[in-house]
Amino acid sequence: MAEQIIFYILAIVIVVFSILAVSSKLVIRSATYLLFVLIATAGLYLLLNFHYLFAVQIAVYAGGIMVLFIMAIFLTHKPGATMNQRMSWKVKSSAALAVSGLLISGYIIIKNVVKVAGYLKGDELSMQDLGHSMMGTQKYQYLLPFEVISVLLLACIVGAILIARKETGNDPKENVKDK
Amino acid sequence: MLVNTVQIPVPMIAYLIVSLIMMFAGVYGFLTRKNLIMILISIELILNAVDINFAVFNRYLFPAQNEGLFFAFFTIAIAACETAVAIAIIINVYRRFGNAEVDNINTMQE
Amino acid sequence: MSSFLKYISGIYTALKSLLIGLTVTWKELWTKKVTMQYPENRETLVISDRWRAELIMPHDDNNEHACTACGICMMNCPNGTINVISKMVETEEGKQKKALDKHIWDYGMCTYCNLCVITCPSDAIIFSNDFEGAVYNREKLVHQLNKEGSKLREKKKEPVAATPKPQPTAPKEPVTQKDEAPKASNDATDKAENKTDL
Amino acid sequence: MLLTYSQPLELTNVSKALDTFLKTYMADFWAYLIEFVIVGVAIIATYAIIALALIYIERKITAFFQARLGPNRLGKYGWIQSLADMVKILIKEIIHINNVDKFLFYTAPFFVIVASFLAFGAIPFGQGLQAVDFNIGVFYVTAVSSLGIIGILLAGWSSNNKYSMIGAMRSGAQFVSYELSGAFALMTIVVMSGTMQFSEMVEGQRYVWNIFNGHISSIIAFVIYMICGHAETNRGPFDLPEAESELTAGYHTEYSGLQFGFFYLAEYLNMFIIAAIATTVFLGGWMPVQIKGLDGFNQIMWYIPSWAWFVGKTGVLIFMSLWVRWSFPRLRIDHLLNLEWKYLLPINLVNILVMVIIVLAGLSLSDLFPKLFGI
């Protein structure tokens, strides 16, 4: 009972705020609504007993990505500035596309998922198991993807710094032209 | 602790519907918005929907293994990478054009 | 390599200086506290003589003050705190003479600049040490400095002529003893004359 | 296994008695519900009481460092002062500001307070006195406490005020960079103790605290963690997000009344949370001082309840934080970022490797002297 109540609260939060996030006129509010969605998603992970995933979601999304978003918004927008929308026919057509996609996928899910309603109550993963499967090289162990991700992260950091760096000295536009 | 005290679990389909709505909200935002940061926010929504699906499939269909969990981790990590680079690009675009909207960026090089 | 050594030595010196700072404040933690707890220490409270708290006009035992109602203090006050109201009285010889009626000083407007006291030719007003001037409404902040029925301290002509000059080290504060009062007033007038000469 | 010693003053005795009492009179579901509510109320009450106590202690110790007496009018030694301040802040008017983003302006304080509250819930206050004992305890706390910065950023942005904005940007840059080193310092200890769960971590420090167990490496990690903790809570020499001489009050300039109270409370509680986590991870948490083999001594130590040990150790760390705060001048923003990126982070990365070597080579005290320190 309690689990269901919590789930439906989180579900309503996710649905409402994800729709608000894509339809808000102020970009900073969109970011805040997205944050609510992310936190509620983390709540879903907690409900599924994925505690580590919960903490990763909060730490990476709320602590990292959202701060990046908000900083970027600070740097590129004036307070209170509203955003331009696309032309209305485009809005209508994409809304129609989204709704039709929703209906088709929903139909498929409802049609098929009822067949596989098995649920085994899984306990919280112990950190030792998690560490072993993250650092092992056998089947169902993920050392290689882990390392690849770390290299990707490094590349991203270097790339981001290189892209966002201000060229020192002259006018940045001239520098770009020189290249 | 919360979960273990409860007998009836939430049906899997409820999770899937939630993630579905989130996903298509993201799609809608991706298609309608001009602002680069808004597009990025929509992408985050889509990625999150996928994460939920991974976790739910793992818990409901293959509770003995951890593939879904790890895929969700890697998705989150890749989302972080993508955001970092994208925001660097957005800031550069802002410096160049004075605002962060997609219509400005018709050519890669002037 | 040298830059690496510099880095390490930088950390070392930083830690050392931080520890020195910490020891200084640690010693400060145990020093005697200097806070004065005011209402409790009324008896032992020491207030500097130069503290300007409240403007007063000293009166002697005969209810006489030294103010001649010249209005210099009023003119010198930078923000109009003082209002000297004078009246004309008839002396024994039948002459009209200006005398003080009310010396009004507004506590709330005073900036304690001391200009009135410095410029007073007859040293009639001084700042006292009595700082407990808080009242419940603004009207009470307006003080009348001369007491009810007080009058100007008369100069005695004969002693001035007989004894040419008193001691050069005259007490600055008005003295309340009966014997010395005329002396002091003489002194004050002398000083005032000197001032005007200058 | 710890129950071999008698613990007369332990608060878990009370909670156990309550649990059995409730379960004899009602179904398990309702018993659990009532217990959840009691635990929630107890945590909120503890939060408020600790905040009030901290404000009083801070004002007193600050005064002593400045050769003053501090609050001394309300009650004996002024101990009612912070209670009176709380009442004042509760009944003050909340000033509504024109031209601000109302939604964000009013949600921002809640982010800050909720983040500190979530972290507060995971702290083990004593033996069994822990609301949630995740197996990812340390990671959970670092993750959850990072939510607060979003509240600060939103507060600065939505105040429509340059000073608030600059304060929020500074705070964001500072928090994000120092969070990294703080988490690394905690991870150093996780490497040594082999668990992230707070309760297991405390059990593991029974005979030797983690700060001594890993000698060099642990002490470096401790110092770095305390520095980062100061910086994360915007206190001590790192208070430049709210540098009053430059930025009035930083990100909470425009807030008044209860909303300001939220920021204020969260700031003090964050100081407590940092000290509490440092206590749990480095100084043995609620575990009394124990010497292997000396049962009489251990029994005497156990007569002091575990929450008293916890409060004592945390109090020492809070005193240290105040000591540092009143010793050093405020850093400049470039010095602040230099300190993090050029000093703390490289040292931390090397330190974590040193710790791995210490653990793998068996150089920690409990490995070197298992008769004295081993569990």
Side-chain angles (χ1 to χ4, degrees), chain A:
Chain A
M1 231 256 296
E3 189 192 359
Q4 278 170 335
I5 293 168
I6 293 168
F7 172 79
Y8 287 115
I9 291 171
L10 290 176
I12 288 167
V13 167
I14 287 178
V15 169
V16 169
F17 281 111
S18 54
I19 288 168
L20 278 177
V22 290
S23 59
S24 168
K25 275 216 159 44
L26 292 165
V27 66
I28 185 93
R29 281 210 190 173
S30 286
T32 317
Y33 296 142
L34 175 68
L35 175 67
F36 288 134
V37 173
L38 296 174
I39 292 172
T41 312
L44 286 188
Y45 295 149
L46 200 60
L47 213 56
L48 288 169
N49 256 347
F50 287 132
H51 288 187
Y52 190 70
L53 192 54
F54 160 80
V56 168
Q57 170 92 1
I58 295 273
V60 175
Y61 270 116
I65 293 181
M66 284 314 297
V67 173
L68 263 183
F69 267 136
I70 291 175
M71 283 288 200
I73 292 168
F74 282 9
L75 290 175
T76 56
H77 288 77
K78 289 191 183 70
T82 53
M83 291 174 297
N84 305 331
Q85 288 274 356
R86 280 191 196 276
M87 291 79 81
S88 74
W89 67 267
K90 248 184 176 175
V91 172
K92 276 175 194 160
S93 61
S94 27
L97 189 68
V99 169
S100 61
L102 186 76
L103 290 178
I104 293 168
S105 314
Y107 175 73
I108 295 169
I109 287 173
I110 291 169
K111 188 93 172 149
N112 291 294
V113 167
V114 228
K115 295 173 192 163
V116 281
Y119 176 78
L120 283 174
K121 212 183 287 172
D123 272 343
E124 192 182 348
L125 244 76
S126 84
M127 284 307 297
Q128 271 81 11
D129 291 348
L130 208 100
H132 283 304
S133 40
M134 203 182 276
M135 285 293 151
T137 51
Q138 277 138 31
K139 202 182 176 192
Y140 300 133
Q141 292 185 328
Y142 299 90
L143 183 61
L144 184 65
F146 194 72
E147 286 302 316
V148 171
I149 282 286
S150 66
V151 171
L152 176 67
L153 266 170
L154 183 67
C156 280
I157 292 167
V158 173
I161 292 171
L162 200 69
I163 291 169
R165 201 167 55 107
K166 231 182 218 163
E167 276 86 358
T168 48
N170 306 320
D171 186 24
K173 279 188 183 173
E174 285 178 11
N175 267 345
V176 172
K177 270 178 194 165
D178 286 346
K179 281 174 191 169

Side-chain angles (χ1 to χ4, degrees), chain D residues 148-171:
Chain D
I149 187 61
I150 291 176
I152 289 173
L153 285 174
L154 289 182
W157 170 266
S158 62
S159 290
N160 198 11
N161 176 337
K162 276 178 226 157
Y163 297 119
S164 304
M165 184 73 189
I166 295 170
M169 291 287 266
R170 280 186 184 183
S171 189

Side-chain angles (χ1 to χ4, degrees), chain D residues 62-300:
Chain D
T62 300
F64 290 158
F65 272 120
Q66 297 168 348
R68 296 186 285 117
L69 285 176
N72 58 356
R73 288 292 157 197
L74 246 54
K76 188 91 176 150
Y77 304 115
W79 67 275
I80 314 179
Q81 183 68 52
S82 56
L83 210 66
D85 283 346
M86 184 194 74
V87 171
K88 183 201 79 175
I89 253 179
L90 285 180
I91 60 178
K92 260 178 117 170
E93 182 190 359
I94 292 177
I95 297 169
H96 300 275
I97 299 164
N98 294 332
N99 299 326
V100 298
D101 194 335
K102 289 258 166 25
F103 173 73
L104 296 180
F105 187 74
Y106 293 124
T107 33
F110 288 99
F111 269 108
V112 179
I113 197 116
V114 164
S116 82
F117 206 91
L118 287 174
F120 185 77
I123 295 172
F125 293 96
Q127 196 191 348
L129 281 184
Q130 191 174 5
V132 275
D133 190 15
F134 286 126
N135 60 2
I136 48 160
V138 177
F139 189 31
Y140 168 80
V141 168
T142 47
V144 150
S145 61
S146 67
L147 275 177
I149 187 61
I150 291 176
I152 289 173
L153 285 174
L154 289 182
W157 170 266
S158 62
S159 290
N160 198 11
N161 176 337
K162 276 178 226 157
Y163 297 119
S164 304
M165 184 73 189
I166 295 170
M169 291 287 266
R170 280 186 184 183
S171 189
Q174 178 178 333
F175 188 91
V176 170
S177 22
Y178 276 84
E179 199 193 8
L180 203 62
S181 281
F184 265 126
L186 288 179
M187 287 310 138
T188 314
I189 300 303
V190 169
V191 167
M192 188 172 70
S193 60
T195 175
M196 289 206 207
Q197 199 166 359
F198 280 132
S199 56
E200 283 180 25
M201 225 170 210
V202 175
E203 293 286 343
Q205 303 178 61
R206 196 162 177 200
Y207 295 115
V208 58
W209 293 351
N210 274 342
I211 188 172
F212 301 126
N213 197 6
H215 34 91
I216 314 169
S217 197
S218 294
I219 289 169
I220 292 174
F222 178 71
V223 171
I224 288 177
Y225 182 70
M226 289 314 283
I227 292 173
C228 294
H230 271 85
E232 276 177 42
T233 49
N234 298 336
R235 292 176 61 80
F238 306 105
D239 56 349
L240 70 177
E242 39 194 292
E244 64 282 333
S245 49
E246 308 157 25
L247 298 176
T248 54
Y251 53 88
H252 55 61
T253 305
E254 299 289 353
Y255 285 90
S256 54
L258 194 57
Q259 291 176 319
F260 170 72
F262 279 168
F263 282 114
Y264 195 57
L265 216 64
E267 189 189 324
Y268 277 93
L269 255 295
N270 282 338
M271 176 172 82
F272 176 80
I273 288 166
I274 293 293
I277 289 169
T279 304
T280 310
V281 173
F282 293 95
L283 301 183
W286 44 261
M287 188 64 80
V289 175
Q290 305 261 287
I291 297 172
K292 206 170 186 179
L294 291 180
D295 272 347
F297 176 78
N298 291 352
Q299 176 61 67
I300 291 168

